[in-house]
Amino acid sequence: MTDKYRSMTELKQKEHEWTIISNEKPHPILSLAPHGGGIEAGTSELALLVSQKLSCSYYTFKGQLDSNNSSLHVTSTHYDEPTALNVSESAEHTISIHGYVDTKQSITYIGGTNVELIDLIKKYLQIGEFNVIDAPSYLGGKSSKNIANRNINKSSVQLELSTKQRRDLFENGDYSKDSRENVEKWSSDMYRYAQAIEWAVREYMSL
């Protein structure tokens, strides 16, 4: 689907039902959910939990329209939002969490530019019994223009979670706004998924 807006600058001039949450910390990792809130539901919450486990920086842009939040999607290579750029440029590595449409299968496509960290995250997610597959090129996250690669080392891991995988992060598969914003509705899969990323990052940092 073609984006409605060509950049975040254009989107912010014309839309008002959104929120940016950013927390910059002195840590090499940024946990990023550029299409959060109702755009790619579940990504803001997973990125937040990862940031809490690692005590690392966090950024999300949350779409908050009553419906059709997908209209607030701006592709990662056109992501010129200033707060995102600032927090990205202060990090050494970015873990970027996204969603794609597949209501049938719980799958994560993994891509990015940091081969070592990709391999570790893939390993720990698979240990946690999550289905992880190397991303096809169009979800690979390798472009230098991708917001995930706008950090000091141009180093990223991009995780693309299917609709069903994101629903699995919440009790009874309910990833409505009320459920997403109620921590008590987060499922054990949410915590296991974030834990796998934490273990992978901690091993990577010890290499």
Side-chain angles (χ1 to χ4, degrees), residues 2-205:
T2 303
D3 287 343
K4 181 177 179 180
Y5 299 109
R6 293 169 294 180
S7 67
M8 292 298 291
T9 298
E10 182 182 0
L11 182 152
K12 290 170 68 177
Q13 290 171 347
K14 298 180 179 180
E15 301 281 358
H16 305 285
E17 298 299 318
W18 50 265
T19 299
I20 290 172
I21 301 173
S22 179
N23 184 6
E24 188 170 351
K25 294 189 176 182
H27 190 283
I29 299 289
L30 165 63
S31 183
L32 174 74
H35 306 132
I39 305 171
E40 293 171 354
T43 60
S44 291
E45 294 73 30
L46 179 56
L48 173 61
L49 186 55
V50 169
S51 75
Q52 291 171 341
K53 285 182 171 293
L54 290 170
S55 296
C56 70
S57 297
Y58 169 66
Y59 172 94
T60 188
F61 176 91
K62 301 177 77 170
Q64 296 184 316
L65 296 171
D66 291 335
S67 62
N68 194 31
N69 277 279
S70 61
S71 67
L72 303 182
H73 181 281
V74 171
T75 190
S76 296
T77 54
H78 296 168
Y79 212 91
D80 61 347
E81 200 288 304
T83 304
L85 290 170
N86 287 337
V87 71
S88 295
E89 289 167 0
S90 298
E92 295 179 22
H93 315 280
T94 300
I95 297 171
S96 188
I97 298 175
H98 300 258
Y100 75 97
V101 177
D102 182 346
T103 60
K104 304 295 185 182
Q105 304 177 88
S106 295
I107 293 175
T108 297
Y109 285 125
I110 189 166
T113 61
N114 186 324
V115 175
E116 292 84 1
L117 187 52
I118 289 168
D119 287 345
L120 285 169
I121 290 178
K122 184 177 182 180
K123 178 183 80 171
Y124 279 105
L125 284 173
Q126 289 176 334
I127 289 171
E129 300 185 344
F130 293 100
N131 188 7
V132 186
I133 300 172
D134 292 339
S137 59
Y138 70 94
L139 294 176
K142 296 184 185 301
S143 172
S144 61
K145 296 179 180 180
N146 189 316
I147 185 63
N149 296 319
R150 301 288 291 273
N151 54 52
I152 294 168
N153 295 321
K154 307 194 184 309
S155 166
S156 66
V157 178
Q158 182 161 294
L159 297 168
E160 294 272 357
L161 283 69
S162 69
T163 309
K164 188 173 187 307
Q165 181 62 82
R166 285 179 285 123
R167 285 187 178 277
D168 290 346
L169 303 179
F170 302 91
E171 295 292 343
N172 302 314
D174 177 10
Y175 70 172
S176 65
K177 181 178 180 181
D178 287 346
S179 182
R180 297 196 310 269
E181 294 183 351
N182 182 353
V183 175
E184 294 182 357
K185 299 294 186 180
W186 296 5
S187 74
S188 60
D189 277 14
M190 174 80 82
Y191 292 93
R192 290 192 303 107
Y193 201 110
Q195 183 75 78
I197 295 173
E198 179 193 1
W199 285 340
V201 170
R202 293 197 186 283
E203 181 172 334
Y204 177 78
M205 300 302 294

